[in-house]
Amino acid sequence: MSSYVNVTALWHVALYGVLFGAGIVTCYALGVIGASRLTIARERGGASVIAPAALAAVSFATVATGLAFALYVLLSK
Amino acid sequence: MGSDLLLYIVVGTALAFDFTNGFHDTANAMASSIATRALPPRVAVALSAVLNVAGAFLSLAVATTIAKGVVDPSVITLNIVFAGLIGAITWNLITWYFGLPSSSSHALIGGVVGAALVAKGQSAIKGAGIVEKVLIPAVLAPFLAGAVAIVGTYLAYRLTRREKGDHVRRGFRYGQVASASLLSLAHGTNDAQKTMGVITLALIAHGSLNGNAGVPTWVIISAAVAIGAGTYIGGWRVIRTMGTRITAIEPPQGFAADTSSAAVILASSHYGFPLSTTHVCAGSIIGSGVGRKLADVRWGVAGRLAIAWVITLPAAALVGGGTSWASDLIGGTAGVLVMAGVGAILATGLYIVTRRDRVTADNLFEQGSASRDPNAVKHDLPDLVAA
């Protein structure tokens, strides 16, 4: 089997696939939570908007960085 | 004169393959976005078409080999390339008719393998290459992508379980536009290059192009336009299967599936491990169904996809081999011309047949009018529209 499969490449694909695939989804989900709580805080008025805004900003910025890295990988072929 | 005509036919057939590749694979990037209403159907295919065209111009990694490592490159002639393309186009059209996502790359490899086998014999085929480049990746891709999507989907639902449903759905819809766009761009950089490679090889074999020369600009433009036009036409039958019949997709699932697909495709491309975009995207959608609590995955539909993937190579090889045999029987350029005509007539006939049971952007989610499949997943339309 291993003579037909580049096991090292397969291992890398699996590792980075999980790392980036699930990682980006997790960061984005945190961003959605932040954005959702920010909206609710604004609707209620008076509630602190700093924590949800910071969570959303950091999470979406991480996702944007991941997207930029993906574009770099895509174009560097 | 004869060789010029043969070249024109091969170039035309390669662009026709590129076109079918485009409309067959629209579903890979856009099915989940259309299913979750992240994008209206026509906007989704238009966006995907533009990004496929852009992708075709962005990548310089044009493959100037066909079926590398699978067929002895020294035996490949224009006639074999033509017959291989006919095999691939035929399989793309048949699977499109039945709404089955299948790999255009594997179909092209199968077509060339069949044509080379008939024209040059068994010694022209590298069996180990077929196992390494087609069979093993076909088995691994859906499991790999599916596993990533299961983890991503589970985490997306787990993390957002206490948030307001409409906020979550809207948020993930925005994300889906980005992840689906990335997939479309990746598709353009990969798949348009195949056709550019085929045409460039044909030009070199004909003597119109020096072996060391780069890809002519007109080849890049025509391949980009062909795949973009095919994508814009939208393979609605395949989109319907991927978007509604495997599992009912909600926005968090769609985002997880698209992101998982993009991550696996980019990683496989970077590390040189050949995985089919179609197999990866279908695997991710199945995984997103498994990863969501109480989601219903139609394993019967998934099984039909697996069967289509298994028979892609032999079916395309059969048509490619038959085309090679028939064109050789007639002989010369006339043989190729006749088989091109037969192919065009059959493709037109299939198109006419599909007009009786049209699937379009307008009836994509209707149960019954266009669909004869009793296993079709009931789409959660009111909830998604309301959100």
Side-chain angles (χ1 to χ4, degrees), chain B residues 243-249 253 285 288-289 292 295-298 377:
Chain B
T244 69
R245 293 191 166 180
I246 296 173
T247 186
I249 306 172
Q253 287 174 281
I285 288 175
S288 76
R292 176 165 74 94
D296 180 21
V297 176
R298 301 281 173 169
V377 175

Side-chain angles (χ1 to χ4, degrees), chain A:
Chain A
M1 174 85 173
S2 62
S3 63
Y4 290 115
V5 181
N6 182 344
V7 178
T8 309
L10 177 62
W11 167 241
H12 278 125
V13 173
L15 179 68
Y16 290 109
V18 172
L19 210 61
F20 283 96
I24 294 288
V25 173
T26 301
C27 284
Y28 195 83
L30 292 173
V32 168
I33 291 169
S36 171
R37 292 185 184 177
L38 181 64
T39 307
I40 292 167
R42 278 182 179 156
E43 284 169 0
R44 286 179 183 164
S48 172
V49 296
I50 295 172
L55 178 64
V58 170
S59 303
F60 288 138
T62 308
V63 173
T65 307
L67 193 64
F69 180 68
L71 283 172
Y72 169 74
V73 170
L74 194 65
L75 302 181
S76 63
K77 276 195 298 179

Side-chain angles (χ1 to χ4, degrees), chain B residues 237-308:
Chain B
R237 289 168 179 276
V238 185
I239 290 172
R240 184 177 59 177
T241 302
M242 292 273 270
T244 69
R245 293 191 166 180
I246 296 173
T247 186
I249 306 172
E250 292 183 349
Q253 287 174 281
F255 179 74
D258 288 347
T259 306
S260 303
S261 298
V264 171
I265 288 165
L266 290 174
S268 70
S269 175
H270 186 71
Y271 288 103
F273 194 82
L275 295 180
S276 158
T277 309
T278 305
H279 297 173
V280 167
C281 291
S284 290
I285 288 175
I286 293 169
S288 76
V290 175
R292 176 165 74 94
K293 205 174 174 184
L294 303 177
D296 180 21
V297 176
R298 301 281 173 169
W299 292 108
V301 177
R304 284 208 289 276
L305 304 192
I307 291 169

Side-chain angles (χ1 to χ4, degrees), chain B residues 31-326:
Chain B
S32 64
S33 297
I34 292 170
T36 62
R37 268 70 172 179
L39 287 166
R42 290 187 201 286
V43 174
V45 295
L47 175 65
S48 186
V50 168
L51 290 167
N52 267 278
V53 170
F57 283 99
L58 287 176
S59 176
L60 300 173
V62 176
T64 49
T65 50
I66 304 171
K68 186 183 179 185
V70 175
V71 176
D72 180 359
S74 65
V75 306
I76 293 182
T77 62
L78 281 182
N79 293 39
I80 288 175
V81 172
F82 165 77
L85 286 166
I86 291 290
I89 291 170
T90 304
W91 185 244
N92 272 354
L93 291 175
I94 290 170
T95 47
W96 161 72
Y97 177 72
F98 289 106
L100 295 169
S102 68
S103 169
S104 297
S105 303
H106 288 187
L108 181 59
I109 290 172
V112 173
V113 164
L117 191 64
V118 168
K120 305 289 179 182
Q122 206 173 348
S123 61
I125 311 302
K126 298 176 178 176
I130 293 176
V131 175
E132 184 186 343
K133 308 250 179 205
V134 180
L135 300 183
I136 290 177
V139 172
L140 290 177
F143 287 103
L144 196 58
V148 177
I150 288 172
V151 176
T153 305
Y154 173 79
L155 288 171
Y157 277 98
R158 179 82 188 161
L159 288 169
T160 59
R161 68 189 185 283
R162 293 204 177 95
E163 307 306 314
K164 281 182 76 175
D166 57 337
H167 287 181
V168 171
R169 280 192 288 267
R170 191 167 58 236
F172 278 109
R173 279 199 186 108
Y174 290 132
Q176 265 196 284
V177 176
S179 55
S181 296
L182 185 63
L183 269 178
S184 291
L185 195 66
H187 187 264
T189 60
N190 279 322
D191 284 37
Q193 316 308 325
K194 279 185 301 196
T195 304
M196 290 180 207
V198 169
I199 297 175
T200 304
L201 266 184
L203 290 169
I204 292 169
H206 178 256
S208 307
L209 195 68
N210 187 307
N212 298 321
V215 181
T217 306
W218 70 266
V219 174
I220 298 172
I221 293 172
S222 57
V225 169
I227 200 165
T231 305
Y232 182 70
I233 292 293
W236 300 111
R237 289 168 179 276
V238 185
I239 290 172
R240 184 177 59 177
T241 302
M242 292 273 270
T244 69
R245 293 191 166 180
I246 296 173
T247 186
I249 306 172
E250 292 183 349
Q253 287 174 281
F255 179 74
D258 288 347
T259 306
S260 303
S261 298
V264 171
I265 288 165
L266 290 174
S268 70
S269 175
H270 186 71
Y271 288 103
F273 194 82
L275 295 180
S276 158
T277 309
T278 305
H279 297 173
V280 167
C281 291
S284 290
I285 288 175
I286 293 169
S288 76
V290 175
R292 176 165 74 94
K293 205 174 174 184
L294 303 177
D296 180 21
V297 176
R298 301 281 173 169
W299 292 108
V301 177
R304 284 208 289 276
L305 304 192
I307 291 169
W309 296 346
V310 168
I311 61 175
T312 290
L313 192 121
L318 199 66
V319 178
T323 305
S324 177
W325 175 80

